[in-house]
Amino acid sequence: MLAVLLFLVCSACTTPPAGDPSAHTWHTEATSIVEERHSMGVGSSLREFILHRPLEVHSGERLPVVIVLHGNGNGARTIAGQVQSEFNVDARRFIAVFPQGHGNAWNLGVCCTPANTAYIDDFLFFDKLTAYLATRPDVAGDQISIAGGSLGGITAYQYACVRADRLAGLVSASGTHITSCLPNAPVPTMQIHSLTDNSIAYDGGFTSTELLLGLDFPAVVPTVETWAAANGHCPDGPTQTEHVVNDLATATVWDCGGTTTWLETLDHGEHAMPIIGDYVVADAVFDFLLGPLGSGTLSDDHA
């Protein structure tokens, strides 16, 4: 596990990175990583994101990227700070990016304030963000994945409906897919969800979060099954297998023409759980996305 990060005071602003003249970057060095804080013009808005990369990136080394979307009411700084030690950016050799939602929310149309009432175009933000990342000399442009927790997971699904062809992978933790849209291209997908989630119920049904956000959360299994059937090319339908992950988690795995959709079901843990006993959600996320990247296959120590 990454050592405790000792961030230093930002020392200087750099020249805007190549490929996006509207972005401004501050570098904050840590013992094992560098943190960059960016702002980027998107339409009439100024959007921000945090980027964590290994302290030492070798000449010619191009790293995979995981864009991590925060939940409703949280923010980029919160999620980056809460789980930075579990992300293990240096040991895993990847770049983590934390976009900031407007008012700590994402715009899904019917939800969520204040992002939707301000008509914020989050997908344009994500488009510009992925385009910028692909210009960086330390990024493997074809290995950019997206993950999110709670509302962030819901938003990741929605973005993958129109941009799966630009993504190497998708993970939703304690989120769900709330519309009938399907991925516009095959994308390895993982859903992590607890049977005892009290905000987005595993089997569907009313929760106080539904009332608060004005959304209807369907049952997890049918929505993942529908996604899996469209996630690849399999005229006869996807194959389905079951696995025991550990004492806490089981997995249902669908394969559609070589593209995997993986549902990891936890016996307990409630909503947006970062750690449950020995189960670390971040480890499951990055084992999936950063194993054989693009194949959606978990590493041996997780499967």
Side-chain angles (χ1 to χ4, degrees), residues 7-18:
F7 289 99
L8 305 177
V9 176
C10 171
S11 57
C13 296
T14 68
T15 303

Side-chain angles (χ1 to χ4, degrees), residues 123-191:
F123 286 7
L124 179 59
F125 177 28
F126 301 155
D127 284 349
K128 290 199 69 174
L129 176 57
T130 54
Y132 157 69
L133 290 168
T135 69
R136 289 177 59 110
D138 55 357
V139 166
D142 61 346
Q143 296 182 13
I144 299 175
S145 300
I146 194 166
S150 191
L151 179 61
I154 296 172
T155 305
Y157 268 120
Q158 296 302 110
Y159 187 62
C161 285
V162 294
R163 295 291 187 265
D165 56 335
R166 301 185 185 183
L167 298 172
L170 160 68
V171 177
S172 169
S174 297
T176 190
H177 186 36
I178 62 172
T179 71
S180 60
C181 74
L182 296 169
N184 74 327
V187 56
T189 299
M190 177 186 238
Q191 171 74 46

Side-chain angles (χ1 to χ4, degrees), residues 230-295:
N231 194 20
H233 180 68
C234 49
D236 297 327
T239 60
Q240 178 178 329
T241 56
E242 307 287 335
H243 304 274
V244 175
V245 177
N246 52 36
D247 291 341
L248 176 66
T250 58
T252 304
V253 182
W254 294 267
D255 182 278
C256 182
T259 302
T260 297
T261 302
W262 183 290
L263 172 61
E264 195 141 307
T265 300
L266 309 184
D267 288 343
H268 57 276
E270 298 189 354
H271 183 68
M273 55 296 165
I275 300 175
I276 311 166
D278 294 331
Y279 186 97
V280 179
V281 171
D283 283 345
V285 171
F286 297 117
D287 280 352
F288 184 81
L289 295 176
L290 302 173
L293 191 66
S295 69

Side-chain angles (χ1 to χ4, degrees), residues 212-232:
L212 177 66
L213 300 183
L215 294 174
D216 179 24
F217 298 133
V220 170
V221 173
T223 59
V224 178
E225 285 179 330
T226 300
W227 184 273
N231 194 20

